[in-house]
Amino acid sequence: MQEEIKRLEKEAQEAIGSAKDTGALEAIRVKYFGKKGVLTALLRSMGALPTGERPKVGQMVNETSQRLEGLLENRLAIFQKAEKQQRLAEEAIDITIPAREMRLGRLHPLTLVYQTTRDIFLGMGFEVREGPEVEWEKYNFEMLNIPENHPSRDMQDTFYITDKILLRTHTSPVQVRTMLAQKPPIRMICPGRVYRVDEVDATHSPMFHQIEGLVVDKGITMGDLKGVLDVFAKALFGPATRTRFRASYFPFTEPSAEMDVSCSVCGGEGCRVCKGTGFIEIMGAGMVHTSVLQGCGIDPRVYSGFAFGMGLDRMANMKYGIADIRLLYENDIRFLEQF
Ligand code: DAH
C-alpha cells in the first residue's frame, strides 16, 4: 500500500510538471482528487487494512494529498498569470490612435430640388402620388388624348416592351391613374423617372426625371394654374423671380401653355445661360382636356382642372448652375461633395 502511494505521488508529480496549461492541470486534479479520483479511492479502501495500519497509511495519504495539492496550486497560479497576461496583450486597445474620420453623406442635387419642390406643393395642400415606370401604352398615350400617329409614339422616341407596354415617356400617365382611382377634389404631384430614346449628351439622357402636377375640382380656372405656378417659382428660385406664360400645345390640355421663369443667373437682363432672352422655360401646363376628364369618368360639365409637368434635372441644373446633365448621373464624389 505504501509503495503504491509513493508510486502514485511520483506519477502525479511528473504529470503536474509536464502539464502545459490550466486545462491540463484541471484534468490531473480530477484524476487524483475527483469523486472517482485515484487518491479518493485509496482513502475509501482503507477499511480493508488491519486496524493497526490505518492511522499510518491515513496520515501518509493525507500528506501526499497536501503536497500534490500544493504543487497543483502553484502551477495553476503560474499558468493563470501567464494566460491573463496573454489575454491583456491580445485585447490591448491603443487609445492614442486618432479616431477614424466620419464621412458625412450628402443629398444628391436632384433629391435636394425634389424635396424643396415637394415641400412647396405640400404647403399648398397637394399630396404626393407615384406610378410605375413600366406603363400601359393606354395610360401613357391613349387616355391622354395622344393620337395614334403622334410622333412621340414612334419607336424612335419610346422604349417599347410590347406594343401595349412601354417605359413611360412622361409622368402624365399618373394623372390618369389618379383620376381613375379617386373622385375630385384632386391635388397631387407625382415625381419619378421617365424614359426616352435619346443619345446621351450635355442636355439629353435616356432616363431623366419629371414632376407632374394635377388639380381637379369644381370651378378651377387658368387663374388658379397661373397663381399656383407663380407661387411655386418664387418659392423655388427666389422672391424676385418673374414668370410668364406662352401659348403652347399639348394633346392632353386645352388651352396649353409653357411657363418661363426669369433667368436666375442674370435676373432677366439676358446672358449666356438664357441665351439673351432673360427667361428660361421650365414647364408645360394647361387646363386638363375635357376628353381626358371624360375618359377617366369625371364629368367636365361639373369639374375642371389644370395640370403641369416639369423636368427635374433641368431645374436642378438651373438652381445649382450645372451645365451638363451627365454630371447628375456619374456619381463623381468631387461633384457631389459640392452640395
Ligand atoms: N408630359 C409633358 C412632357 O413630358 C409635360 C406636360 C405638359 C405635362 C403639360 C402636363 C401638362 O401635365 O399639362 O413634355
Side-chain angles (χ1 to χ4, degrees):
M1 188 92 181
Q2 295 174 4
E3 284 306 305
E4 172 69 357
I5 295 170
K6 280 196 185 127
R7 195 190 61 75
L8 275 178
E9 176 166 15
K10 194 150 179 278
E11 178 194 282
Q13 278 171 342
E14 273 163 20
I16 294 168
S18 58
K20 293 261 176 334
D21 53 28
T22 53
L25 286 177
E26 174 61 14
I28 294 168
R29 194 190 61 73
V30 171
K31 180 175 173 195
Y32 290 94
F33 300 108
K35 260 197 199 135
K36 293 180 184 150
V38 188
L39 282 166
T40 319
L42 258 184
L43 277 175
R44 282 210 195 102
S45 67
M46 292 229 312
L49 287 176
T51 336
E53 275 186 41
R54 282 184 207 166
K56 202 163 162 240
V57 175
Q59 196 191 353
M60 205 177 155
V61 172
N62 281 336
E63 281 169 8
T64 303
S65 295
Q66 270 165 20
R67 279 196 298 275
L68 285 178
E69 271 169 9
L71 210 56
L72 261 177
E73 248 156 63
N74 283 344
R75 291 288 281 174
L76 196 64
I78 291 168
F79 283 144
Q80 279 172 342
K81 203 172 159 197
E83 282 171 18
K84 186 174 171 188
Q85 222 95 50
Q86 189 186 351
R87 223 181 39 244
L88 283 177
E90 279 169 8
E91 293 174 3
I93 296 170
D94 183 353
I95 56 166
T96 65
I97 292 176
R100 208 173 291 164
E101 187 193 354
M102 291 266 260
R103 304 258 307 185
L104 264 193
R106 284 154 207 260
L107 292 178
H108 192 279
L110 279 172
T111 308
L112 289 170
V113 177
Y114 165 62
Q115 290 182 347
T116 311
T117 300
R118 176 199 61 196
D119 292 347
I120 295 166
F121 282 105
L122 287 179
M124 291 192 277
F126 284 67
E127 294 174 354
V128 177
R129 288 292 152 78
E130 278 180 49
E133 292 167 29
V134 178
E135 183 57 283
W136 298 110
E137 176 272 344
K138 188 173 172 180
Y139 291 171
N140 194 83
F141 292 132
E142 197 180 313
M143 292 184 71
L144 288 167
N145 212 23
I146 301 173
E148 203 86 59
N149 55 359
H150 194 278
S152 66
R153 287 208 181 200
D154 201 312
M155 297 282 282
Q156 307 292 314
D157 301 309
T158 302
F159 291 108
Y160 280 91
I161 288 167
T162 68
D163 55 353
K164 288 191 162 43
I165 300 172
L166 42 71
L167 294 184
R168 66 179 178 191
T169 58
H170 51 179
T171 42
S172 302
V174 185
Q175 289 189 33
V176 174
R177 288 178 171 273
T178 304
M179 288 189 279
L180 287 175
Q182 175 189 345
K183 292 281 143 256
I186 293 168
R187 263 184 248 145
M188 71 86 172
I189 56 164
C190 159
R193 279 187 273 268
V194 301
Y195 302 84
R196 289 182 200 174
V197 182
D198 266 324
E199 290 295 333
V200 176
D201 64 23
T203 55
H204 292 86
S205 161
M207 185 282 296
F208 55 103
H209 301 78
Q210 287 189 335
I211 297 185
E212 193 80 13
L214 174 69
V215 172
V216 183
D217 204 348
K218 289 178 180 158
I220 297 293
T221 69
M222 195 85 186
D224 298 308
L225 179 160
K226 292 177 77 172
V228 165
L229 295 182
D230 189 70
V231 165
F232 159 69
K234 287 181 164 61
L236 183 64
F237 294 112
T241 307
R242 282 167 293 129
T243 54
R244 79 180 180 194
F245 293 82
R246 287 177 288 104
S248 185
Y249 170 78
F250 298 101
F252 37 93
T253 46
E254 180 60 35
S256 303
E258 263 162 74
M259 183 172 92
D260 301 338
V261 294
S262 52
C263 177
S264 55
V265 175
C266 64
E269 294 287 305
C271 68
R272 199 174 47 86
V273 174
C274 57
K275 300 194 179 80
T277 63
F279 280 89
I280 295 174
E281 185 233 306
I282 66 161
M283 68 170 101
M287 300 305 293
V288 182
H289 200 291
T290 49
S291 320
V292 175
L293 288 174
Q294 215 148 23
C296 295
I298 293 177
D299 187 346
R301 287 166 304 182
V302 181
Y303 294 104
S304 56
F306 69 84
F308 53 91
M310 56 191 140
L312 196 55
D313 311 74
R314 186 92 187 284
M315 296 208 301
N317 289 358
M318 266 180 76
K319 191 162 167 68
Y320 298 112
I322 301 164
D324 193 323
I325 191 177
R326 287 170 290 199
L327 286 166
L328 296 175
Y329 301 118
E330 281 169 351
N331 264 347
D332 187 330
I333 201 92
R334 293 164 301 180
F335 169 74
L336 295 172
E337 263 175 355
Q338 296 172 49
F339 300 92

